Structure formats: C-alpha cells, structure tokens
Amino acid sequence: MRDWKFNHIDFSIYPSYKGDDLGVFWTPEKTTIKIWAPTAKMIEFRLYKDGSTGEAFHKTQLQAVGDGTWSTVLMGDYEGRFYTFRINDGEWLAEMPDMYARCVGVNGKRGIIFNPQKTNPENWQNDQGPELKKFTDAVIYETHVRDFSISESSGIQHKGKYLGFTEEETKTASGAATGLSHLKELGITHVHLLPVYDFYTVDEEKPLEKYNWGYDPLHYNAPEGSYATNPYDGTVRIKELKKLVQSLHANGIGVVLDVVYNHTFFTKESVFNQTVPGYFYRQKKDGSFANASGCGNEVATERAMVRKFIVDSLKYWAKEFHVDGFRFDLMGIYDLETMKIIRDELDKIRPGMLLYGEGWTGGESPMPEEKRAVKRNSPKLPGVACFNDDLRDALKGNHSSKKTKGFVNGLELREESVKFGIVGAVHHPQIVYDYVESAKQPWASEPTQCINYASCHDNYTLWDKLKASCPKAGDDEMRKMVKLAGAIVLTSQGIPFLHAGVEFCRTKGGNPNSYKSPDTVNQIDWARKEEYHDVFTYYRNLIHLRKNHPAFRMPLTSQIQNHIKFCTEYKIGVVSYCIYGREVGDSWEEILLIFNANRKETLIELPAGNYRIAVKGDEFNADGHGDTVSGELKAEPISMTILVKTEN
C-alpha cells in the first residue's frame, strides 16, 4: 500500500521542463502527446470511443524524452476520440486525463482530442474586451453562472447555462430588465464569474440534482460541463463559454474568472498526485499534506513545475478565451514570486488585465507568511490587488458573526475603519491607524491594489447580514442601510466590487454558507428588482456618478494624500471628507461627502463657502440643478450627501 508521506523526498532535485507543448495536441495528420512525470517508470496512453464507458480500442506506451517528460505521436486523424493516461512509478496509479487537459467528456473522466478552431464562435478573431485606462476605472460584478439565470423570474431561456449571458432583451413578467440587459442598465464594467473550470461535485448528467459554487477543482484548463447544453461533447462547453465572453465584450463588459489553484478537491486521488505523487502539494514536517486552504491540501506554488502549470494555465485562458482578468481564491497561499511572474507573463499577452485575490488563507501554511501573497505583502506585488475585508467588516460587522454590527447598521466608533477604506487602504496622514480595529497600518501601496466591497458570495448577503444584526429594522431602514453601504463602496478610492443582486437587496434566506445549497437559496430572484427598484436606481446612479467623476477613482496614492482631506469636525456615526477634484481632472472643483449612519438627522458644520447639493437621500442632481447651502447642513439619517462647492 502506498505511503502518502513525503518528508523523505527532496522535490527540488526533480528535473523541470521549460517547453510549451505539454498536453495533447491535434492536427489532421497526427496527435502529439507529452506529459511531465519524472518519477514514472512506464506510462500508458489509452484511446476510447466514449467519454465514460467502454473498453480502450487502442493502447500505446510513451517514451521518456528528457527533463522528466514522456511523449509519443499518433499518426492519423484522431479528432473526437477520448483518452486517458495510466502511470506506473513502481505501482500503477489511477487512470485519468492529463493535468493539462483542455477538453474533457462528461464529468471529466476522459480527455478529448479536439480541433480548437472548431470551438471558436463566428467572428471570434475580432473579439476584444474593454480597455481600462486605469484599474480604478473598473466596477466589478460577481456572479455565478447558474445563479444568474436559473430563476423562473429571469425570463432567460438557457437557464443555468453559459448561453444565458448571450440572450438580449430578457425581462421579468412585469417587464424589468434581467440578465445581460440588466448588466448594461446597471453600468458595471466587468463580470466576475465564480469558477467555470471543470469541478467535481455537480453531476454533469444530472446537473439540477446538486449545486456547488465550484471551489472543488478537477480539471483546471477545461470548462465546467453542467453549464453547457451538451456535457458529453467537450467542444460544446468551450464554444458556449466563448460565446458568453463574446456577448459580454460586444456590450462593453469585461470578464474576470475566479481561479482556484490553491487546492484541489481530491488530494491523494487528484490528477496531480496520480501523475507525480506529492510534488504538487506542500507538506508538513511529518510529510503529510499541509492544509492552509482548509479543504484538505494546499498547492506548492513555489515549486518550478507547479509554478509553470499555473502560469501556463492562466496564459491559456487569457489567449484562448480572451478573458480580461483573474480573481485568485485564497491568494495568501501563493508564494510572492509566482504572483509576480503571473503579472509579468500576462502583461506580455495583454497589459492591464485585472488581477486580484483574497490576501489570506483558510489555515496555517508551512511556508512563512513573509514569502506569501497576503495583504500586508501587497507592496511587493505591484499590479495585484487584495480584497479590503477591513472595510467590509467596518461597514456591517464581522463577516461570519450573525449579530455583530458595523458603521451602517449602527455600531459607533467605526469611523476610522471606514476612512481606511475610503482612501483605498493606502497611507493617509489624517487616519489614526491605532483606531482601525482590523489593520493597524496601511497595506496597499497604491489604491489600484485595493478591492472595496461590502459583500460577496461568501458568508451572508448584505441584506441578510443587516437583517440578522438589526432584527427590528423596518423595510425602509433596511433599504437605507443597503444604499449607504453601496454609497461608501462606490465613492471610495480603489476598485469597487459588488455581489450580484446587492442592488436589489438579494437574500439567501439567512444562509451564511450556501456553497452547496439548492437553487432556491442561491438563485438571483429578479422579481426583487421590481420590489426594490429604488435601491437598484440608487446603485445605478452611484455607478454613473463614479464613471463621470475621476475624483472617486484616483490611481495614485500621492493624489489621495494631497487631494483628500477629512475637513469637518468629528461626530460619532458620521464620516465626512473633502475631495479637491480639479486637481485630478474633475469638473467638480471641491466635493464634500457626508455619510451619516446615525438613526436621526445630524447637524454638520460645513467648511466656508457655498455648496450645491449634488446628492441627498435618493435624489441625484449631478447635472447642477441642486439647491445651494452654506454654514451647516442637516444630514438625513442613514444616508450619503454630496455637496459641490460653488463660486457664488
């Protein structure tokens, strides 16, 4: 029986390979096969006519060709045939596709030899995503392929599928825009998709019987089949995912993929361990698998061929699927050097791709923290952003604790933590960092490294968290809190990030961890857009405001330090500050923002001068027709007010 402990092995002496031809590649004349398996003694390649049943109709042996690689060439046209490998390193490992498999059959049991050109939609060669002048121009909208369209209220034909994103002019029964039309109406710049690589726990033959977010990786380079109209032909899922990307691009919306290279669903049984046992994972001192992911293992990103696999995979998605960025799950597991190389290599393909992730882990790692891509190491990772969980928890209370509160739901003395988020987690001379509960020092070098958010797929939705912490709050107060949280996120420096449906008070019925809960919990109920249309309108107006005013999206720390001033007298439950917009190219010379989280009107003494009311409550007067005030202002309860200084 195999011993799955590896403290006796020095993986650093394994040979590495630098070529770009690992995998299975088709041409009409031949199929070329190459894998890296330095501990193998024998490798068998098997061909099948079916993706999950039947016996192999052809078997052949690979030959060792140097640097730990094994290869063979099949002469003839094998397009559409299914394949597996079986490796013997002293004993036979499990039969499965290779780790580079780009096209797989149902449930990922076998790879498919395919012609990539046939997976391209019409006019694919002209497809191109939106160009960002600077990262802070982005407004990211996180959603799950199935959640987005599965509800009856969506009015979308291809429910739960990639093609749901391609349908134009979809509506609810009452006529409210849904799907793609909703995204255009809202005004976001990028859709962030929860994992769309091939994951394990949803049976692609019976996709509606189970639900999962997809953080259970099986094959990293092949799309998930449960979102395709045909899970048996692996080329269909590739083409339909490309159509999703093409549709969003055609409407000026970029696509960010959620990637999970930090762990695999299986450990001993994974394609990594069934190819090169132990190499792809970090180990504890006793040789057992380390578990900083909290999912049973953590990938050893610092090892040469692990790093190569991750970089090759990202480059493949960027080139083949034209995606515009990547979000890294538990990025704090990755080593810093790998993240730097990822940034550099993707810039060679297309400069300006969004790269961001969770600057933390799910548990202890044997790799020292100073070598990993955690938040506090952000200065070592230019061009890579981290989620600002400091602002998230400051706004609404601890993310995982049901009853805790934050600024918008009435907890006092959270003002300094909110200010920390407003300046994009960079250093600002007026912030007293000792009063920032979760971060005693700034961690971002530039605001482009800060993703500001109030909620995401993890934990409670914003609505559910506010409801749990304020059980006596009425509907009007609930709406105001959701609006205030959105107002802070969408006017703060950094990159704003929205959880799909937050703009119409999405609920999961109080479920704090819905990763495998049914569609009834996870689906976006588009009927709520009609019920909470004032909240949707407010968020749409906020996005429009942000896009029109560079004062809310400065790319440089020096601009924030020089042109943002906390310019009013401190009051409990209030955060207010001035932006000197003219200095950063804004049409508004001086802007005063007031966030009042108190449950009553609060009198604010204004700096000298006259101010026009641009935003007050639900009223947006960004075109210049607002009333003028001076001296003092009564800020409405649980609201944002924006004043613009006038010369009169």
Side-chain angles (χ1 to χ4, degrees):
M1 188 169 181
R2 183 175 293 270
D3 179 8
W4 288 96
K5 290 194 174 183
F6 299 93
N7 51 331
H8 61 293
I9 295 177
D10 179 4
F11 290 114
S12 68
I13 67 171
Y14 281 25
S16 59
Y17 179 69
K18 292 182 167 40
D20 59 2
D21 57 347
L22 293 175
V24 177
F25 297 91
W26 169 91
T27 68
E29 298 78 27
K30 63 184 179 180
T31 295
T32 305
I33 301 145
K34 183 179 282 188
I35 67 172
W36 181 76
T39 57
K41 300 183 184 304
M42 185 186 305
I43 301 179
E44 184 178 75
F45 182 76
R46 299 180 175 188
L47 285 175
Y48 295 86
K49 294 180 180 178
D50 186 87
S52 59
T53 61
E55 295 297 318
F57 70 84
H58 180 75
K59 300 177 184 178
T60 189
Q61 300 295 317
L62 274 64
Q63 303 299 314
V65 291
D67 295 330
T69 63
W70 296 68
S71 182
T72 193
V73 176
L74 296 180
M75 301 308 295
D77 187 353
Y78 286 92
E79 183 182 359
R81 298 306 191 189
F82 297 84
Y83 71 85
T84 60
F85 291 86
R86 200 169 184 210
I87 294 170
N88 188 313
D89 67 346
E91 59 183 281
W92 285 106
L93 293 157
E95 181 181 1
M96 57 182 55
D98 58 309
M99 65 181 72
Y100 275 80
R102 297 166 295 144
C103 187
V104 296
V106 67
N107 290 320
K109 292 179 180 177
R110 293 170 182 168
I112 301 177
I113 299 171
F114 76 112
N115 177 359
Q117 289 298 316
K118 290 186 178 179
T119 67
N120 292 338
E122 186 178 353
N123 205 36
W124 181 244
Q125 70 277 10
N126 295 320
D127 175 75
Q128 189 173 347
E131 296 289 339
L132 286 178
K133 291 185 179 178
K134 52 187 186 293
F135 291 133
T136 49
D137 290 343
V139 179
I140 301 168
Y141 188 87
E142 180 203 50
T143 193
H144 180 276
V145 170
R146 188 155 144 181
D147 295 355
F148 188 68
S149 57
I150 198 72
S151 170
E152 283 300 317
S153 63
S154 73
I156 294 172
Q157 180 181 349
H158 292 95
K159 289 180 168 50
K161 305 296 183 184
Y162 297 123
L163 294 181
F165 285 82
T166 69
E167 298 180 31
E168 302 274 356
E169 306 299 328
T170 58
K171 293 179 169 58
T172 64
S174 300
T178 65
L180 177 61
S181 295
H182 171 81
L183 297 177
K184 292 161 62 178
E185 185 183 10
L186 183 59
I188 53 92
T189 68
H190 288 73
V191 166
H192 160 151
L193 296 173
L194 265 65
V196 295
Y197 55 69
D198 188 44
F199 55 84
Y200 178 73
T201 50
V202 173
D203 184 345
E204 293 174 357
E205 296 188 279
K206 304 170 185 175
L208 296 183
E209 289 190 0
K210 277 190 177 181
Y211 175 96
N212 206 279
W213 283 340
Y215 295 93
D216 49 338
L218 191 60
H219 298 298
Y220 284 106
N221 294 337
E224 166 61 19
S226 67
Y227 301 147
T229 57
N230 178 358
Y232 299 96
D233 180 350
T235 64
V236 172
R237 60 182 78 182
I238 297 173
K239 190 168 188 174
E240 291 179 351
L241 178 53
K242 287 180 177 178
K243 285 183 176 180
L244 176 157
V245 173
Q246 186 180 48
S247 175
L248 289 170
H249 282 175
N251 288 282
I253 299 171
V255 178
V256 175
L257 298 187
D258 200 325
V259 289
V260 190
Y261 299 107
N262 67 80
H263 76 275
T264 53
F265 177 74
F266 291 113
T267 301
K268 297 174 185 177
E269 305 89 345
S270 74
V271 66
F272 290 155
N273 267 330
Q274 295 301 314
T275 304
V276 191
Y279 180 85
F280 283 81
Y281 300 92
R282 291 191 189 126
Q283 286 84 22
K284 301 175 187 175
K285 288 182 179 180
D286 66 358
S288 62
F289 292 106
N291 186 25
S293 69
C295 300
N297 57 72
E298 63 180 283
V299 170
T301 61
E302 70 281 6
R303 292 177 188 160
M305 292 302 289
V306 182
R307 179 179 290 160
K308 175 177 169 54
F309 173 80
I310 294 170
V311 172
D312 285 350
S313 178
L314 291 165
K315 288 165 65 175
Y316 173 69
W317 285 104
K319 290 179 179 178
E320 187 68 22
F321 290 87
H322 301 179
V323 299
D324 307 285
F326 297 98
R327 176 266 192 191
F328 295 87
D329 184 64
L330 294 180
M331 190 172 70
I333 289 175
Y334 295 66
D335 69 289
L336 289 165
E337 186 62 25
T338 293
M339 289 306 304
K340 291 176 186 176
I341 291 171
I342 288 169
R343 177 78 269 176
D344 290 344
E345 289 297 311
L346 290 176
D347 279 344
K348 293 175 185 176
I349 297 171
R350 180 183 166 193
M353 294 182 72
L354 283 167
L355 299 181
Y356 58 95
E358 295 175 303
W360 51 80
T361 66
E364 293 296 319
S365 174
M367 173 170 274
E369 188 175 88
E370 61 266 22
K371 295 183 179 181
R372 291 186 280 109
V374 294
K375 270 191 317 179
R376 71 181 183 91
N377 289 331
S378 290
K380 300 176 183 178
L381 289 174
V384 179
C386 286
F387 283 97
N388 189 355
D389 55 332
D390 306 290
L391 178 63
R392 176 198 67 193
D393 289 358
L395 289 176
K396 63 178 185 179
N398 182 272
H399 65 285
S400 61
S401 181
K402 191 173 186 178
K403 295 184 178 180
T404 57
K405 295 183 179 183
F407 180 74
V408 302
N409 40 349
L411 182 64
E412 295 179 345
L413 304 179
R414 284 297 174 271
E415 297 84 11
E416 216 67 18
S417 296
V418 173
K419 288 163 63 177
F420 181 89
I422 284 170
V423 301
V426 304
H427 180 264
H428 190 281
Q430 287 182 284
I431 293 179
V432 182
Y433 289 94
D434 286 346
Y435 293 168
V436 179
E437 184 178 28
S438 56
K440 300 304 180 186
Q441 59 186 10
W443 47 260
S445 289
E446 301 288 353
T448 52
Q449 293 185 294
C450 175
I451 303 287
N452 281 325
Y453 71 121
S455 58
C456 65
H457 68 277
D458 273 323
N459 312 115
Y460 298 100
T461 68
L462 178 60
W463 175 272
D464 289 346
K465 170 64 178 174
L466 296 174
K467 194 67 179 174
S469 59
C470 302
K472 296 181 180 179
D475 189 66
D476 183 59
E477 183 178 346
M478 287 291 298
R479 291 174 193 245
K480 286 181 177 180
M481 288 190 284
V482 173
K483 290 174 185 176
L484 181 57
I488 294 171
V489 167
L490 284 161
T491 58
S492 290
Q493 306 302 319
I495 303 168
F497 174 102
L498 303 175
H499 180 218
V502 68
E503 71 276 19
F504 44 81
C505 304
R506 182 178 181 178
T507 178
K508 294 183 183 180
N511 189 317
N513 189 21
S514 66
Y515 76 99
K516 62 178 181 178
S517 299
D519 290 315
T520 51
V521 172
N522 282 293
Q523 68 187 359
I524 295 176
D525 180 3
W526 291 97
R528 287 179 76 88
K529 183 179 177 182
E530 301 157 20
E531 184 179 357
Y532 295 97
H533 198 265
D534 61 308
V535 181
F536 163 74
T537 301
Y538 190 82
Y539 272 72
R540 184 189 63 193
N541 287 338
L542 285 169
I543 293 170
H544 184 73
L545 182 77
R546 183 180 182 88
K547 285 182 169 181
N548 283 344
H549 291 281
F552 301 124
R553 41 191 174 86
M554 302 178 203
L556 301 175
T557 295
S558 58
Q559 293 174 317
I560 292 170
Q561 291 169 337
N562 293 330
H563 307 310
I564 288 181
K565 181 180 179 183
F566 294 93
C567 55
T568 63
E569 183 183 352
Y570 169 72
K571 287 183 179 290
I572 291 177
V574 176
V575 173
S576 59
Y577 64 102
C578 294
I579 305 178
Y580 301 102
R582 184 71 57 84
E583 303 297 327
V584 292
D586 203 294
S587 59
W588 288 349
E589 181 174 359
E590 187 175 325
I591 309 162
L592 174 59
L593 292 92
I594 302 166
F595 301 104
N596 180 23
N598 292 304
R599 269 52 189 165
K600 59 184 179 181
E601 276 191 341
T602 303
L603 189 65
I604 307 295
E605 293 185 19
L606 305 178
N610 297 317
Y611 293 85
R612 174 173 58 81
I613 298 175
V615 180
K616 187 177 183 182
D618 285 355
E619 294 298 317
F620 282 69
N621 295 295
D623 55 359
H625 299 302
D627 294 338
T628 300
V629 296
S630 62
E632 60 185 27
L633 173 89
K634 287 184 178 178
E636 295 180 2
I638 320 177
S639 74
M640 174 183 73
T641 304
I642 297 181
L643 306 177
V644 179
K645 196 169 187 178
T646 68
E647 295 180 359
N648 299 327

